[in-house]
């Protein structure tokens, strides 16, 4: 199903992100994740593409095909354009079409080690090519600004450019303070961005994970979260429980606020996805 249609079918869509497991058993592990996610009746499941410079991109298309064909799920493939030229993206497009993928999240990707692309500077340069190819196209949104663009007005102006280029919906970067999301939403609507914005939440499971995220995406840490990390730093099971509770509170608050959609970065943990699904269900 095209995600714009999935949006019409659900009151507050709830979706999940997974990443292609590494190694020989990648597809088998992905099957396990999908087996856990399918009963949650997700609006869609998105599959990352070489996220964090992992180079882990080969299985994205296979996992999307598996999710659609074996589980009847609405799947979305992420696709980055940094370091690619138009011809290589055209090959990606053919592979996505051959696998029956209907939804693509158009991303620039991190610049890191990759050579400058001759054809794509920003994600907005990729979006028209994907729309022309017939995909339902989403793009990334940053409630606290992208790490390279902390000016709130520019952040929203760049989002508007993505909508004008053809993005039909947005999925947000993670954040730990819902006030940031509400402020961002107001700014987007004031800038006449009308596409649905789905807010992404990642449950905290370790101090190392949070530290990585804060430096990678510039998310701010509310005092409640800092205290939680300090209290349970050396108690992994307690920290996981508290992290799930924190994420569940964020999701329930967003649902009560009537946001367009909720997205869970479940890190391939179907049990985490289920716990958050159950916690947020009464509010949707
Ligand atoms: P863009 O929209 O191109 O923005 C990149 C930077 O350029 C921003 O600072 C933006 O403000 C600025 N900018 C945009 N337009 C202009 C302009 N006209 N003039 C000047 N500056 C401009 N990465 C992966 O590698 N694989 C994944 O699967 C993946 N999935 C993701 C999923 C989500 C929901 C999100 C939020 C991020 C994901 N990322 C992934 C990370 C993403 O690739 C990085 O955040 C990347 O640095 C920016 O990608 P973008 O598509 O937002 O780029």
């Amino acid at each position: 199903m095209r995600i714009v249609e999935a949006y019409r079918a659900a009151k507050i869509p709830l979706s999940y992100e997974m990443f292609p497991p590494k190694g020989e058993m990648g597809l088998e592990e992905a099957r396990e994740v999908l087996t856990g996610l399918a009963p949650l009746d997700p609006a869609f499941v998105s599959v990352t593409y070489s996220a964090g410079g992992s180079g882990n991109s080969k299985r994205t298309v296979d996992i999307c095909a598996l999710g659609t064909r074996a589980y009847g799920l609405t799947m979305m493939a992420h696709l980055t354009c940094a370091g690619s030229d138009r011809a290589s993206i055209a090959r990606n497009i053919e592979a996505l079409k051959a696998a029956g993928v209907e939804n693509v999240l158009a991303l620039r990707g991190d610049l890191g080690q990759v050579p400058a692309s001759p054809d794509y500077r920003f994600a907005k340069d990729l979006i028209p090519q994907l729309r022309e190819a017939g995909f339902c196209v989403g793009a990334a949104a940053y409630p606290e600004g992208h790490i390279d663009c902390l000016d709130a007005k520019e952040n929203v102006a760049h989002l508007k450019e993505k909508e004008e280029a053809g993005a039909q919906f947005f999925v947000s970067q993670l954040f730990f303070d819902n006030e940031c999301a509400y402020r961002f939403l107001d700014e987007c609507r004031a800038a006449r961005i009308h596409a649905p914005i789905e807010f992404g939440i990642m449950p905290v499971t370790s101090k190392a994970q949070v530290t990585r995220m804060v430096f990678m995406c510039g998310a701010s840490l509310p005092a409640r979260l800092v205290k939680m990390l300090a209290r349970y730093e050396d108690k992994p099971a307690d920290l996981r429980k508290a992290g799930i509770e924190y994420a569940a509170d964020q999701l329930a608050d967003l649902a009560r606020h009537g946001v367009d959609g909720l997205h869970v970065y479940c890190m391939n943990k179907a049990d985490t996805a289920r716990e958050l699904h159950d916690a947020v269900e009464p509010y949707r």
Side-chain angles (χ1 to χ4, degrees), residues 203-269:
V204 168
T205 51
S206 79
K207 194 175 166 186
Q209 170 215 14
V210 176
T211 311
R212 201 169 54 245
M213 288 307 158
V214 166
F215 282 97
M216 211 173 83
C217 66
S220 50
L221 294 180
R224 179 184 158 201
L225 187 59
V226 175
K227 285 178 189 161
M228 189 184 97
L229 288 167
R231 175 182 289 191
Y232 299 120
E233 189 176 350
D234 301 318
K235 297 178 188 144
D238 291 344
L239 180 56
R240 181 185 178 279
K241 186 166 174 282
I244 299 272
E245 269 170 28
Y246 190 96
D249 285 353
Q250 274 194 283
L251 289 164
D253 183 63
L254 288 161
R256 283 194 299 268
H257 203 90
V259 298
D260 298 322
L262 303 170
H263 190 65
V264 174
Y265 295 101
C266 71
M267 309 296 289
N268 287 9
K269 304 262 189 295

Side-chain angles (χ1 to χ4, degrees), residues 17-18 46-54 60 76-81 105-111 121-125 127 139-143 145-151 154-159 161-162 170-174 198 200 216-217 263 265:
E17 180 189 278
M18 62 180 288
S46 73
V47 187
T48 65
Y49 182 89
S50 192
S54 63
T60 301
M76 174 167 75
H78 295 199
L79 182 64
T80 61
C81 58
L105 191 72
L107 297 151
R108 184 195 69 181
D110 289 320
L111 298 178
R121 191 157 170 227
F122 302 111
K124 72 179 164 75
D125 304 325
I127 292 168
Y142 299 87
H146 182 260
I147 196 88
D148 299 333
C149 174
L150 298 177
D151 181 279
E154 276 180 39
N155 180 39
V156 170
H158 297 154
L159 197 76
E161 285 178 357
K162 292 202 251 196
F170 295 104
V171 182
S172 94
Q173 183 58 283
L174 63 89
E198 185 152 310
M216 211 173 83
C217 66
H263 190 65
Y265 295 101

